[in-house]
Amino acid sequence: MAYSQWTLYKTLNQSVLILVFSNMKILFTLLIALSASFSIAQTQFTIQDADTQKPLEKVLIRVNDKSFFSDQEGKVQIPFSEPISAIFFLEGYETIQGNFEPGSYILRLKSLSYSLSDFTVTAFETERPLLKQSAAISLVGEQDFSRFNETSIVNSFNTKPGVRIEERALASYRVSIRGSSLRAPFGVRNVKIYWNDVPFTAPDGTTALNLLDLSNIRTAEVIKGPSGSIYGAGNGGVINLKSPADPKGGLVSAEYGGGSFGLNRSRIAISQQVGKGGFEASLVKQKLDGYREHSAMDRTVFQLGGFMPVSQKQELRTQLLVSDLDYQIPGALNAQQLAEDPRQARPGSVNQNSSIAQKSVFASLGHLYRFSEKAQNNTTLYLTTNDFENPFILDYKKELGFGYGGRSRFTFDWNLAGKPFRIIAGGEYQTALTDAQNFGNRNGLADTVRFADKLKATQGFLFQQAEWEPTEKILLTLGLSQNFSSFEIDRQINASGGPTGLQTRTFDPILIPRIAANYSLNTYSSIFGSISSGFSPPTIDEVRTNEGSLNLDLEAERGVNYELGYRMGKNRLNVDVTAFYFRLNETITTFTNEQGVVLFRNSGSTDQKGIEAAIDYVFIQQAVGFIRNFKAGTAFTGHYFQFKDYEQRGNDFSGNDLTGVAPNNLVSKLDFRFAGGFYLNFTHQFTDEIPLNDANTVYQDAYNLVNTRLGIIQNLGKRTVIELYAGVDNLLNESYSLGNDLNPFGGRFYQPAPTRNYYGGLKASFRY
């Protein structure tokens, strides 16, 4: 090759090599840049235990329709370059959801063994931490429900101090908060109940709590004592039940449970996110043959809830509840019948088909509007229908009812003297119209009509509440409401020849004040005190008895409550103690005539002193090891209630213990969670002897109940979670009555509760 050619060739090759190396450098740089860009575009999470900061393995993360798990170091990478919405789930920990830009995050999940300082409640229409609330409040949540057989609300609520729910027959509830069931021989009275911000208590003061399945309640806040300043009539207190639609992705769940005395329960549910909102629907079917003769129960409940965020300022919520309930009433026994055979029904109950059949539809629409960051309105309206049929030993009752109402509140946040100041103002109104007919009962069939009435019950009130924080440690609250109520009884038929026509009773508007204060001792403890007034007018069932008489002279009960409390939630220790004194005038009590009809009367006054305490401690909380969580808790109720001024039929009962109230109640709980998703719960409840008549000559013996449940929760792949469980109720096989009849005719005090019984079931959920 000629020199000039070689020189040219060499020069060309050098140029090519330079070009190649230059391009490789650019390519390598681009690859590094792309790799760095890809690394940055990913979203990486490091997930830890909030208490120990140790990594959490096998946390399930759902992003759209994809699932991921954290590794042994608690780390997981999500290969999305755009912002994501993720849900984090690990058994025993709080499920959280959030929106994340690409990047790296450290997330700390809180154990379900909460400290009181972590709780936020909405009592008295204001969302504040529990340590800031100036009232005696008990919280009941899914952890409480799932430690028992999930067929009834009874056991879970009865673990809370000051709260007692009785079940005289299957699905026949009686709620007592600080002795408020004195005037409730059956049903729920003198306690105001809300369900998803809607008044579930009818305007006549009664509540068909048995229309709800336990699955229709996600959490509950129990406010003890008069709360009329914001919730209207009722001296016993308020129960706020919550289960609003909260769809997160797509979820299908199903469960089945069975057990002793013919228990069969099945449920299927779906949760579907639609945009930023969505809907939830569930269908529950439960059947029981019952422990006693003629005590079967059959209930079907359908719930549909929707959540629609219209804009950043507006939200719409809907609820539909359809309930079909049938249950038999075995009736109360006297001491001799109880000794002979506690499983027998009261003579006559079977032949007369003593039972209740009730079909109800409850629909509501809620609207939240935010005028600004400091002002908003929340309004909920509802409609309800009720078809009620009650053959009883003495008669046969049919009722067809329709009701409507609503509640609206405005919240304004300002400053007063440069300090946070909040005003809450609003109103509530309810009306119920009922066609009621009472027939004779001929072998369980409606015979000739005895009397028929058109009934109308109306109640409403306006409320205002001011909250001011003059310092960071002090919260002052002043509440006031003006309440009114009335009812009409238009007698259409009176077969006994008595008068017919319209009779009305209107209760004068009553002002109900409340003043309260909360002082934060430090970041983890506080003290509070309050003085509150309450009133409770008689219900139509108390005025219009089964025998057809009308007692229009019954007066409303009036009471004043004083209470002082202390709360502390530090690390693993929770303490909640309240002392109170409640003075009730014009107390409504019950008695039974010779025909067995329950009648009512105003009976002087009562003095109700008490102390309620709850303490729990988490001994072990760790992300590794065989025992992952060990928690113990106890709740004590001391109710020392007496008749203050009570004389009836020449008998002076002043100074006697209040009928139907156990002076002492102690609940102890042990909860274990183990590696592999296993759990074990123990509950022991001691109930002191209970006076069953005003003379205090007959008592229900003290008894001890022990319940236990064990199970396992497992992830099957990335989409499916299953739970297998089994348990025993009344492990000690105690003989007792969970709801006695008070002051009955013929000594029929006793409603025997089930002996030792077993249950088990399977739950499964699938995310799609």
Side-chain angles (χ1 to χ4, degrees), residues 322 324 391 398 417 483:
V322 182
D324 187 351
K398 293 183 180 181
N483 299 259

Side-chain angles (χ1 to χ4, degrees), residues 424-473:
I424 301 167
E428 181 177 306
Y429 178 84
Q430 293 178 272
T431 288
L433 305 170
T434 305
D435 284 333
Q437 300 171 308
N438 283 60
F439 303 84
N441 186 343
R442 186 184 295 272
N443 298 323
L445 300 175
D447 198 9
T448 56
V449 64
R450 293 179 177 177
F451 55 95
D453 300 314
K454 288 186 178 297
L455 310 175
K456 180 180 180 181
T458 302
Q459 76 87 25
F461 59 94
L462 301 173
F463 59 86
Q464 309 86 38
Q465 181 170 284
E467 300 176 343
W468 186 42
E469 298 178 69
T471 71
E472 292 183 356
K473 290 180 173 291

Side-chain angles (χ1 to χ4, degrees), residues 297-348:
M297 187 269 278
D298 187 348
R299 178 173 57 202
T300 302
V301 184
F302 172 75
Q303 180 184 357
L304 174 65
F307 170 55
M308 292 158 281
V310 179
S311 66
Q312 290 186 345
K313 288 190 173 184
Q314 296 188 71
E315 294 177 5
L316 288 176
R317 288 190 178 274
T318 61
Q319 287 284 351
L320 174 66
L321 182 81
V322 182
S323 185
D324 187 351
L325 170 65
D326 290 274
Y327 65 94
Q328 297 171 330
I329 303 173
L333 305 177
N334 60 34
Q336 180 180 348
Q337 293 165 340
L338 180 69
E340 291 173 352
D341 181 9
R343 300 190 66 169
Q344 68 176 304
R346 173 185 170 181

Side-chain angles (χ1 to χ4, degrees), residues 131-134 419-420 468-476 517-528:
L131 289 178
K132 279 279 192 179
Q133 294 285 356
S134 306
K419 303 298 181 180
W468 186 42
E469 298 178 69
T471 71
E472 292 183 356
K473 290 180 173 291
I474 298 175
L475 173 64
L476 302 176
N518 182 291
Y519 180 76
S520 298
L521 300 172
N522 42 51
T523 57
Y524 54 82
S525 66
S526 63
I527 58 174
F528 66 88

